[in-house]
Amino acid sequence: MCGVIGYVGSKPCARLIFDGLKRLEYRGYDSAGIAVLDHGKIDLVKAEGKLVHLEPRLVELPGGATMGMGHTRWATHGAPTARNAHPHLHGDLVIIHNGIIENYRELKEQLIKSGVEFKSDTDTEVVLHQLHADLDRKGDLKTAIMETVKHLRGAYAIGIIHARDPGKIYVVKQGSPVVLGAGNGENFFGSDALALLPHTNRAVFLMDGEFACLTADSIDVWDFSGKPVRRDPQVLNWSAASADKQGFKHYMLKEIHEQPAVMSSMLSRLVDLKSNSFVDKETGIDALDLGRVKNVAIVACGTAHYAGQIGRYMIEEFVRLPANVELASEFRYRNPCIDSSTLLIAVSQSGETADTLACVKHASERGCQVMSVCNVRFSSIPRASDAVLYMEAGPEVGVASTKAFTAMVLSFYILSLAIGEKMGRMGPQAHARLEKSFDAMRRLPSLVDRAVNAAGVIEEISHKIYESQNMLFIGRGASFPVATEGALKLKEISYIHAEGYAGGELKHGPIALVDRHMPVVSIAPRDSQYEKMISNIEEVCARQGRIIGVGDLEDDRFRSICEHYIPCPQVDDDHLQAILSVIPLQLLAYYAADMRGTDVDQPRNLAKSVTVE
Ligand code: F6R
């Protein structure tokens, strides 16, 4: 969850590291620090809170230092204070760490018994002292690292500098993400490629159980037993510009506005709209043995889980196989009925979410085929999967996921149609169904564009609701997960309490919350559930609920029962409509949060990439 970055080369590095941390701040932002090595001496600065508090302290670092590393924290062990901020220094050793050392208590007790005094409450400091002790015993850092990792249980990406071994940074990986960046006469490491993009697009991906030594001119990689590993750099296709705000007030707003382009580029890569066919190599299904598949399990967290719920409806509809969708954090601790006939689909924007990754590993061990739907290339989940559909939606920096959600829904649409067709499970109407779907996909990007550009009316409505304490979101069919996603978006960035319910479920309890103060965002596109949904909305009206409708521009009947109405483009496909219906909810959440003055891109207590369980 934290962000780490390091540099070794010939440029002054304090500012460079700070700028890298800014690109990683979405991973954690409760405290930060930087350490540099210059003329055999380690200097470090740390500050509580966001990076703006660290910036004035950069002048305290030696201007000529050309190697160092930085850290921006999302606290797991120990409060978010300067004392607990990384880097942690002891003697000549300084380290930064992203992850969790699960056995830190027992290691800490042993170290305390041997006379070590701890200066922080972090699990990381245990690694520092263990390494220090192993270095004393073994004499050289590489051997000491191999010794230290034997003691550690948990997940970690660790950067290490030793003042008596200048010009070298060691990077250790087990379970937490870290990428090495190969430059000319300079090398880097970072939690993800975003931080490195302004400097290099050549990345070396360490695997779990490996560590590396970076100098200005070399990158050496070994496994934990000390065996050298050859790993060539991969060229990344993201540009540094794609991770900038490009004039938008927030990343989230920029990412909402990128959705038409994301839909277009996904369609041009994953399907052939001229011949109404699928590009199997890009969808990943050519890597699957579909003959084996008898059931589907979808696992994901948060927004990706809601996309997975819509995916389940699509798999059931187009593939006609039993499909389950579950929170990855629950699935992994049950004893799910999965075997070699199961296709497990893991959905993750970052490709690093710890619980989702654990499900992938667990399912592979149980003989399932694993397919992942991910955004970040070369991340851990795709690497552990048999097949991958890359969304290639570009970097998503805003902590609240927007374009990744719609990209996930489109991925599921394409994937389930392609699998259904390939397995011959779409029935006698297959041809007509596919024609209809391709027609809808052809129209999708321009409809998404219209949805995004309806921002004006949504901003006005946000003025009416942004002071609410509670809100409900309701929908049926694919609009039910859309409702839950709308509620999640609102609560995570505006801190308004919001819940999403299936329209038909309201009268089984939650309708008790409805009174004339309760805004109820009601999603009722003209789909197969329309009539039932309108009845549910009438039930809310009868209890004086304030209806904010999301529906067809021409739907005067629905509009007439709403206090406020958001016209939303319609695509004549129940599943694909979810992509259009969610956009007004993203914008509603965005404007409400902005009006409340919250930190839209970095909401409190959250981090973008959840690499701890
Ligand atoms: C909410 C949000 C999170 C993520 C979740 C999974 O806006 O972004 O709920 O969807 O943490 O993340 P990924 O997709 O990276 O696995």
Side-chain angles (χ1 to χ4, degrees):
M1 317 266 288
C2 309
V4 296
I5 181 156
Y7 172 82
V8 51
S10 55
K11 292 181 191 146
C13 69
R15 172 57 63 173
L16 184 152
I17 291 168
F18 180 80
D19 289 344
L21 286 180
K22 271 167 80 180
R23 301 179 89 84
L24 288 170
E25 199 176 15
Y26 68 90
R27 300 181 76 94
Y29 33 84
D30 56 39
S31 55
I34 294 178
V36 297
L37 176 64
D38 191 34
H39 293 98
K41 181 172 170 287
I42 293 166
D43 281 285
L44 73 119
V45 288
K46 301 185 194 192
E48 191 175 320
K50 298 184 70 161
L51 282 166
V52 285
H53 301 290
L54 185 68
E55 191 164 15
R57 309 234 3 230
L58 292 183
V59 291
E60 295 169 36
L61 295 172
T66 59
M67 64 174 287
M69 51 194 193
H71 186 274
T72 176
R73 182 167 184 249
W74 187 87
T76 57
H77 297 72
T81 57
R83 194 170 89 87
N84 289 330
H86 302 213
H88 292 283
L89 172 75
H90 181 61
D92 291 329
L93 265 186
V94 65
I95 74 167
I96 54 176
H97 164 222
N98 172 24
I100 287 184
I101 306 300
E102 285 166 4
N103 58 336
Y104 85 99
R105 277 180 203 281
E106 59 196 74
L107 291 176
K108 192 168 179 172
E109 271 167 29
Q110 286 161 17
L111 287 160
I112 288 171
K113 272 191 203 138
S114 70
V116 171
E117 280 178 27
F118 279 78
K119 296 189 211 106
S120 76
D121 311 313
T122 63
D123 52 340
T124 303
E125 202 184 341
V126 161
V127 182
L128 175 67
H129 291 295
Q130 185 64 49
L131 186 61
H132 201 272
D134 288 329
L135 183 58
D136 279 349
R137 274 193 291 274
K138 298 287 174 186
D140 86 286
L141 188 51
K142 184 178 157 211
T143 321
I145 290 170
M146 285 157 49
E147 197 56 33
T148 298
V149 293
K150 290 183 196 157
H151 298 271
L152 305 180
R153 253 197 356 256
Y156 45 89
I158 303 171
I160 305 162
I161 292 177
H162 184 208
R164 279 185 281 134
D165 209 357
K168 290 181 186 165
I169 304 182
Y170 284 87
V171 181
V172 189
K173 171 168 162 54
Q174 177 60 47
S176 298
V178 69
V179 185
L180 312 179
N184 285 328
E186 56 186 5
N187 285 310
F188 307 81
F189 74 91
S191 294
D192 62 40
L194 271 186
L196 312 180
L197 277 176
H199 309 288
T200 180
N201 64 350
R202 294 190 315 130
V204 175
F205 292 90
L206 283 188
M207 301 294 155
D208 288 345
E210 292 180 354
F211 69 112
C213 177
L214 312 185
T215 69
D217 303 308
S218 62
I219 296 180
D220 292 307
V221 180
W222 304 274
D223 68 16
F224 281 178
S225 70
K227 199 164 121 231
V229 175
R230 198 196 144 140
R231 185 76 30 81
D232 293 326
Q234 317 243 21
V235 176
L236 304 169
N237 60 0
W238 286 359
S239 73
S242 59
D244 283 341
K245 275 194 213 151
Q246 291 168 3
F248 285 93
K249 186 172 177 191
H250 293 100
Y251 280 109
M252 181 179 175
L253 191 58
K254 175 201 156 214
E255 287 157 8
I256 290 172
H257 279 267
E258 282 172 344
Q259 291 176 108
V262 170
M263 296 293 112
S264 279
S265 79
M266 283 180 75
L267 289 170
S268 59
R269 197 167 43 84
L270 299 170
V271 296
D272 183 342
L273 290 171
K274 286 201 194 89
S275 63
N276 284 6
S277 58
F278 303 96
V279 184
D280 291 351
K281 200 166 120 308
E282 291 289 324
T283 60
I285 66 169
D286 63 345
L288 294 173
D289 175 4
L290 290 175
R292 257 169 63 191
V293 179
K294 303 231 168 356
N295 58 84
V296 178
I298 300 168
V299 291
C301 301
T303 285
H305 174 250
Y306 296 138
Q309 286 184 334
I310 301 171
R312 187 242 305 244
Y313 297 160
M314 295 177 187
I315 301 269
E316 286 172 347
E317 174 87 19
F318 303 136
V319 190
R320 304 297 303 141
L321 283 178
N324 275 312
V325 56
E326 200 162 344
L327 292 168
S329 54
E330 290 295 316
F331 184 87
R332 62 182 294 198
Y333 295 110
R334 288 196 295 106
N335 187 8
C337 297
I338 50 172
D339 58 24
S340 59
S341 67
T342 306
L343 172 64
L344 182 114
I345 306 181
V347 195
S348 174
Q349 187 284 128
S350 62
E352 299 292 351
T353 300
D355 284 316
T356 313
L357 178 60
C359 292
V360 165
K361 291 180 177 160
H362 179 61
S364 288
E365 282 158 20
R366 301 270 286 262
C368 305
Q369 292 186 78
V370 176
M371 160 136 230
S372 55
V373 174
C374 291
N375 195 31
V376 180
R377 271 197 186 262
F378 310 115
S379 51
S380 304
I381 292 172
R383 285 206 308 259
S385 305
D386 301 306
V388 189
L389 187 156
Y390 279 115
M391 304 188 289
E392 300 212 337
E396 191 179 66
V397 178
V399 163
S401 194
T402 52
K403 63 177 176 174
F405 176 80
T406 47
M408 285 165 188
V409 176
L410 182 58
S411 303
F412 267 115
Y413 191 73
I414 293 170
L415 206 54
S416 45
L417 285 167
I419 295 176
E421 186 194 32
K422 199 151 200 153
M423 291 179 78
R425 298 192 59 88
M426 291 180 74
Q429 301 300 319
H431 184 71
R433 175 69 250 200
L434 284 167
E435 292 269 295
K436 184 172 177 259
S437 295
F438 275 96
D439 191 41
M441 284 193 275
R442 266 187 284 277
R443 286 185 294 122
L444 184 69
S446 65
L447 293 170
V448 171
D449 193 50
R450 272 176 41 205
V452 163
N453 285 307
V457 56
I458 300 169
E459 191 173 359
E460 268 172 45
I461 295 171
S462 304
H463 267 291
K464 318 274 187 219
I465 55 101
Y466 80 98
E467 287 175 316
S468 305
Q469 305 256 314
N470 299 289
M471 279 175 64
L472 294 178
F473 288 69
I474 56 173
R476 295 181 79 111
S479 299
F480 164 40
V482 167
T484 50
E485 168 61 4
L488 175 62
K489 244 18 16 139
L490 186 75
K491 68 184 131 189
E492 71 178 321
I493 61 169
S494 73
Y495 316 145
I496 297 171
H497 174 231
E499 297 300 334
Y501 287 103
E505 183 62 17
L506 220 55
K507 51 182 161 294
H508 298 285
I511 204 162
L513 295 168
V514 173
D515 62 14
R516 67 193 166 80
H517 303 292
M518 178 67 90
V520 183
V521 179
S522 309
I523 305 129
R526 286 205 197 260
D527 61 10
S528 54
Q529 312 254 0
Y530 174 78
E531 289 298 338
K532 296 267 177 255
M533 188 61 208
I534 293 293
S535 305
N536 296 143
I537 297 168
E538 296 276 14
E539 289 157 9
V540 176
C541 287
R543 277 123 193 121
Q544 296 184 302
R546 299 171 56 197
I547 304 293
I548 298 165
V550 179
D552 182 3
L553 173 68
E554 320 263 295
D555 189 348
D556 294 333
R557 176 179 166 205
F558 181 20
R559 188 190 286 261
S560 69
I561 55 173
C562 295
E563 182 177 314
H564 303 290
Y565 193 71
I566 305 176
C568 178
Q570 306 287 299
V571 69
D572 189 24
D573 182 299
D574 284 18
H575 305 291
L576 223 43
Q577 180 62 37
I579 293 178
L580 297 164
S581 298
V582 82
I583 292 170
L585 311 188
Q586 297 171 343
L587 287 163
L588 192 72
Y590 171 78
Y591 287 116
D594 196 33
M595 284 165 200
R596 288 168 76 100
T598 63
D599 190 340
V600 171
D601 282 332
Q602 294 174 347
R604 69 185 178 205
N605 305 339
L606 292 173
K608 181 81 185 157
S609 185
V610 185
T611 53
V612 295
E613 293 164 24

